Amino acid sequence: MVTSYVGLGSNLGDRERTIRRAFDELARTPGIFDAACSSLYFSEPWGYAEQPPFVNAVARLSTELGPIELYCALRRIEGL
């Protein structure tokens, strides 16, 4: 079991709902335990500034998933 930190961010649609839904999906993923989410933070885009502001958060979780399994779970959630 290891502790992992995952950055969450969205700047499209209902940004706050997207972050909360992504965290909920992450917390329900088999092999992930004790997930916690930071507060939501709002930030302006950097680099390509012609886009909406971001909502960001960080999830802390304990997992028995290996790096590739966790990556695949994150990609699945990103596609929802």
Side-chain angles (χ1 to χ4, degrees):
M1 189 85 67
V2 298
T3 300
S4 295
Y5 296 88
V6 177
L8 306 172
S10 177
N11 73 333
L12 300 175
D14 187 342
R15 300 163 302 160
E16 293 178 41
R17 182 174 179 266
T18 299
I19 296 295
R20 288 190 177 98
R21 193 172 109 207
F23 173 76
D24 290 344
E25 288 292 328
L26 186 61
R28 283 194 292 266
T29 300
I32 292 178
F33 309 92
D34 301 323
C37 193
S38 71
S39 300
L40 299 179
Y41 295 90
F42 298 83
S43 61
E44 294 298 319
W46 185 85
Y48 178 65
E50 298 300 318
Q51 57 183 323
F54 282 84
V55 175
N56 302 290
V58 175
R60 183 195 73 228
L61 49 100
S62 296
T63 183
E64 54 191 25
L65 300 177
I68 293 174
E69 293 171 303
L70 180 57
Y71 173 77
C72 289
L74 294 171
R75 293 289 300 183
R76 178 189 61 79
I77 292 167
E78 184 177 33
L80 294 178

